[in-house]
Amino acid sequence: MMKKYLWSFALSAIVLAGCGKKEEPPVAAPAPVASAPAPAAVNTEEKVLNIYNWPDYVPEGMIATFEKETGIKVNYDTFETNEALHAKLVAGNSGYDIVVPGSVFAKPQIEGGLLQALDKAQIKNLGNLDPAIMATLGAKTDPDNKHLVPWAWGFTTVGINKTKVAKALGKTPMPENAWDLVFKPEYTSKLKSCGIAYLDSPTEIIPVALHYIGKDAYSNDPADYKLATDMLAKVRKDVRIFSSTMIDDIAGGKACVAIGWSGDINIAAARAKENKSKDEIESMLPSTGALIFFDTMAITKDAKHPNNAHAFIDFYLRPENAALMANEMNYPTANKAGVSLVKPEIAANKTIFVEADYFAKMIPPSSFSNEAREAMANAYNSFKKGK
Ligand code: SPD
């Protein structure tokens, strides 16, 4: 598959090179005068950049390095769910220049005109990105890769505190499929004693629930949501936390099992070690697969500082910055040029850079219609209320 993408990438590069061939000047035109290359356009924007990203996603010091190098002051805010970011973009005048939607939401945001096309001439490091990943994003989400640049990718899965889960399960062995730990009453009824946490968002929980009951995780059919919520209703009483602070909830011992994001679960594992906890935390690879996501940088339609935004995107795409993100945030980078700079222990962690045979089982992201998203929100809210 990878080979196929590389081949098609190389082929399209050849075709494009052919298309770019200069035309002969008209006979009467004066001979071109050799001249110095045009000077790079001067960025006259005020030296400010407003970024809106997920928490625990930017390595310490990265923003300060960018500010020092460019003199651009960065205001960096965070959001916890795609729904929260989406609502801000739909309302308009968010004040943000760069936002980082999951690709599942980026697609309707592009279609709705909420994001602007990138000026690729300002992003010389674009070529560092993995052509296979860009081809996937191009095919599914962002035709011609006009709007989106990956920040990172990862997967939604089950995280466990191994020590506490083993104790709570007692004689019951671990299930073959880790999703049972959060969706099957036989397990949840035991694990509720040490705390079950779900991400607090309809579009995080309903897709994994759909996957668990054997439906398309990105179904647009409200009848499927009904089946998913029927399954969820059976475990509702056992779920203790709907979390927007999952790293703290797992590392701090409030939850022993969680539906969370791979990198955040690995951050919780590292944090527990730093805190000298005896408990071992693990990001699971469920036997039926986990749900892949891509989080992508984009420039808002009404951004006041688009040139500064392009400068930051280009800065982030330096191989060393991409590797820093993977090393510190525990998410794989889509920056191919940065992969060789990733620390060996991170590169070898199979719950960060998953192996090919598990990758093949994973569920790739898709997107939902607006109606489906609304139906999903209703289904989730009634589940959460326990009604
Ligand atoms: N700490 C960074 C978390 C990023 C999570 N993005 C997930 C989107 C999944 N739909």
Side-chain angles (χ1 to χ4, degrees):
M1 181 66 102
M2 178 78 165
K3 263 195 187 146
K4 187 176 140 203
Y5 279 127
L6 287 173
W7 180 84
S8 66
F9 179 74
L11 182 69
S12 42
I14 292 165
V15 172
L16 286 174
C19 290
K21 209 175 139 203
K22 281 195 188 124
E23 281 178 22
E24 292 300 321
V27 181
V33 180
S35 61
V42 179
N43 181 358
T44 53
E45 275 172 8
E46 68 170 331
K47 297 247 167 201
V48 171
L49 175 64
N50 300 319
I51 302 181
Y52 202 34
N53 197 353
W54 301 81
D56 302 291
Y57 231 8
V58 69
E60 216 182 312
M62 186 183 277
I63 297 293
T65 306
F66 174 77
E67 289 182 323
K68 204 166 158 203
E69 207 178 290
T70 59
I72 295 169
K73 161 89 181 81
V74 176
N75 300 306
Y76 191 93
D77 291 341
T78 58
F79 60 87
E80 273 110 20
T81 62
N82 268 314
E83 284 86 344
L85 167 61
H86 191 67
K88 275 231 158 65
L89 292 178
V90 170
N93 291 318
S94 69
Y96 293 109
D97 301 299
I98 293 183
V99 290
V100 188
S103 66
V104 170
F105 274 68
K107 186 175 162 74
Q109 288 161 4
I110 292 168
E111 288 165 357
L114 302 174
L115 307 173
Q116 59 174 271
L118 299 167
D119 174 6
K120 294 188 183 178
Q122 292 191 58
I123 316 176
K124 62 180 188 315
N125 287 319
L126 265 183
N128 291 340
L129 288 164
D130 186 333
I133 291 181
M134 294 313 282
T136 305
L137 269 179
K140 298 219 163 188
T141 312
D142 179 25
D144 299 325
N145 299 118
K146 277 193 183 144
H147 303 80
L148 307 177
V149 167
W151 179 275
W153 66 276
F155 52 98
T156 308
T157 187
V158 179
I160 62 167
N161 178 321
K162 273 175 103 172
T163 330
K164 289 192 171 157
V165 163
K167 200 165 160 208
L169 288 183
K171 291 205 173 92
T172 307
M174 277 290 279
E176 195 196 321
N177 183 7
W179 291 119
D180 286 346
L181 295 170
V182 287
F183 290 137
K184 196 168 189 182
E186 184 188 335
Y187 296 92
T188 59
S189 58
K190 294 195 163 71
L191 295 170
K192 69 178 178 190
S193 60
C194 57
I196 298 176
Y198 281 17
L199 288 166
D200 191 9
S201 147
T203 54
E204 300 296 343
I205 298 305
I206 303 294
V208 286
L210 285 166
H211 166 68
Y212 183 69
I213 61 170
K215 297 284 177 192
D216 173 6
Y218 296 97
S219 166
N220 276 310
D221 183 354
D224 287 346
Y225 304 159
K226 167 85 177 75
L227 294 175
T229 41
D230 288 350
M231 180 279 287
L232 286 167
K234 297 192 183 121
V235 294
R236 171 64 188 93
K237 64 180 179 4
D238 299 335
V239 179
R240 185 188 293 174
I241 307 170
F242 290 92
S243 176
S244 51
T245 51
M246 193 60 93
I247 298 176
D248 291 344
D249 292 340
I250 304 174
K254 279 195 200 153
C256 63
V257 59
I259 299 177
W261 299 308
S262 52
D264 286 22
I265 299 166
N266 274 304
I267 294 176
R271 209 168 279 176
K273 264 194 205 144
E274 277 160 30
N275 295 342
K276 311 252 175 309
S277 163
K278 281 187 221 106
D279 294 353
E280 197 186 330
I281 289 162
E282 192 177 323
S283 172
M284 307 296 284
L285 298 174
S287 60
T288 57
L291 273 65
I292 296 178
F293 61 79
F294 291 103
D295 288 331
T296 53
M297 279 183 282
I299 303 180
T300 57
K301 187 74 183 172
D302 49 9
K304 295 216 165 51
H305 313 100
N307 292 330
N308 298 345
H310 282 92
F312 182 81
I313 293 173
D314 197 45
F315 167 84
Y316 183 74
L317 288 181
R318 292 179 191 169
E320 61 275 21
N321 285 336
L324 203 59
M325 186 287 300
N327 288 337
E328 291 192 21
M329 301 294 118
N330 294 265
Y331 283 98
T333 174
N335 188 317
K336 208 172 172 191
V339 171
S340 61
L341 306 176
V342 172
K343 286 187 204 158
E345 65 270 29
I346 299 289
N349 184 330
K350 296 181 177 61
T351 68
I352 301 177
F353 287 89
V354 295
E355 289 182 319
D357 51 348
Y358 191 74
F359 190 84
K361 282 199 214 180
M362 293 175 110
I363 294 83
S366 182
S367 67
F368 312 105
S369 66
N370 288 338
E371 297 71 34
R373 238 182 13 248
E374 200 175 313
M376 196 177 290
N378 291 336
Y380 176 79
N381 290 334
S382 69
F383 151 67
K384 201 173 153 185
K385 280 190 210 134
K387 286 181 189 157

